[in-house]
Amino acid sequence: MHIFLDTANIDQIRQATKLGVISGVTTNPTLVAKEATADYEMVVKTICAIVSGSVSAEVLAEEADAMMEEARVKASWAPNVAVKIPVTAAGLEATSVLSQENIAVNMTLCFSVNQALLAARAGASYTSPFVGRLDDIGHDGMQLVQDIVEVYQQYDLKTKVIAASIRHPLHCVVAARAGAHIATVTYDVLMQMINHPLTDIGISRFLADWKKVSPK
Ligand code: G3P
């Protein structure tokens, strides 16, 4: 499973990229707004200069023609931009045209297997089931990831599943076991994935033992 960073924070992207474990970035209007800027283009172009993998930029238009127009502009910002489009009727119409133009589409706000199946049929490169938001309303978000992966495999659909709205490290473990192609995680979750108390204890113990025998 590949790891994407789910943020528009440039410092976090720079830090995480140094680790050599990040294959892409996903953004959305909420994440860009958190950085106190409305300059989506500047943010995405900066991220694309740091990250060579896929960088998702959300389309805000709601009608199919306007979505396509906006998507073409956003896709022109950098070769690695994937446009994020919600799974609606208009979004599917736009995706089916954009995918024919070889524009990578990440169909977002996916909350059902049917939506994921339609996204794949429309030619989306990625589908993003929002795990945490389903958990928030008492549904099993990870079961949805597992079901989508199973259906895509059954019909040999090439659309990649991005487990999104990941809230904690256990979500990543379950997404990986379910066969999600990608999990997009916040910087905080990435740090939680790295840390383990026994690793810290082990390092301290090795250093303490070495000090006992090492020359003064
Ligand atoms: O990638 C989608 C993600 O940004 C949504 O996360 O925490 O707002 O549900 P959240």
Side-chain angles (χ1 to χ4, degrees):
M1 184 175 74
H2 287 277
I3 306 296
F4 283 11
L5 209 58
D6 193 28
T7 183
N9 184 286
I10 303 299
D11 288 340
Q12 289 182 349
I13 292 167
R14 280 193 212 285
Q15 288 305 319
T17 302
K18 279 189 210 165
L19 305 179
V21 297
I22 298 301
S23 309
V25 171
T26 50
T27 70
N28 63 38
T30 304
L31 294 171
V32 176
K34 266 192 201 162
E35 303 310 311
T37 178
D39 195 343
Y40 209 147
E41 180 174 356
M42 186 271 291
V43 170
V44 170
K45 283 184 171 172
T46 308
I47 297 170
C48 288
I50 303 168
V51 176
S52 57
S54 173
V55 175
S56 288
E58 189 121 3
V59 164
L60 294 159
E62 290 176 275
E63 302 301 328
D65 286 341
M67 279 176 166
M68 288 182 236
E69 206 174 308
E70 188 185 333
R72 289 181 189 116
V73 171
K74 287 186 169 161
S76 75
W77 289 347
N80 50 334
V81 168
V83 289
K84 245 179 157 181
I85 293 183
V87 195
T88 58
L92 289 165
E93 186 182 334
T95 298
S96 64
V97 172
L98 293 164
S99 61
Q100 293 294 318
E101 297 173 12
N102 291 320
I103 292 177
V105 179
N106 173 359
M107 291 218 84
T108 189
L109 291 165
C110 174
F111 294 99
S112 74
V113 174
N114 282 332
Q115 288 181 320
L117 180 58
L118 295 170
R121 286 292 173 217
S125 299
Y126 306 97
T127 305
S128 293
F130 274 33
V131 174
R133 291 193 195 184
L134 276 171
D135 291 356
D136 288 345
I137 59 161
H139 289 251
D140 186 348
M142 274 303 161
Q143 185 62 51
L144 174 62
V145 171
Q146 200 176 316
D147 292 346
I148 295 171
V149 168
E150 189 186 317
V151 169
Y152 280 7
Q153 276 174 356
Q154 187 156 336
Y155 295 103
D156 199 23
L157 297 168
K158 302 299 178 206
T159 306
K160 292 193 164 72
V161 178
I162 303 181
S165 184
I166 294 279
R167 300 283 167 75
H168 50 71
L170 187 54
H171 270 156
C172 293
V173 174
V174 183
R177 294 184 70 191
H181 304 90
I182 298 151
T184 188
V185 303
T186 61
Y187 186 79
D188 287 349
V189 169
L190 178 66
M191 292 303 117
Q192 289 173 325
M193 289 169 74
I194 297 169
N195 292 327
H196 197 291
L198 290 179
T199 305
D200 298 338
I201 290 167
I203 290 169
S204 303
R205 205 173 286 166
F206 284 151
L207 290 176
D209 288 343
W210 188 244
K211 261 190 202 153
K212 288 179 205 161
V213 295
S214 65
K216 299 278 176 290

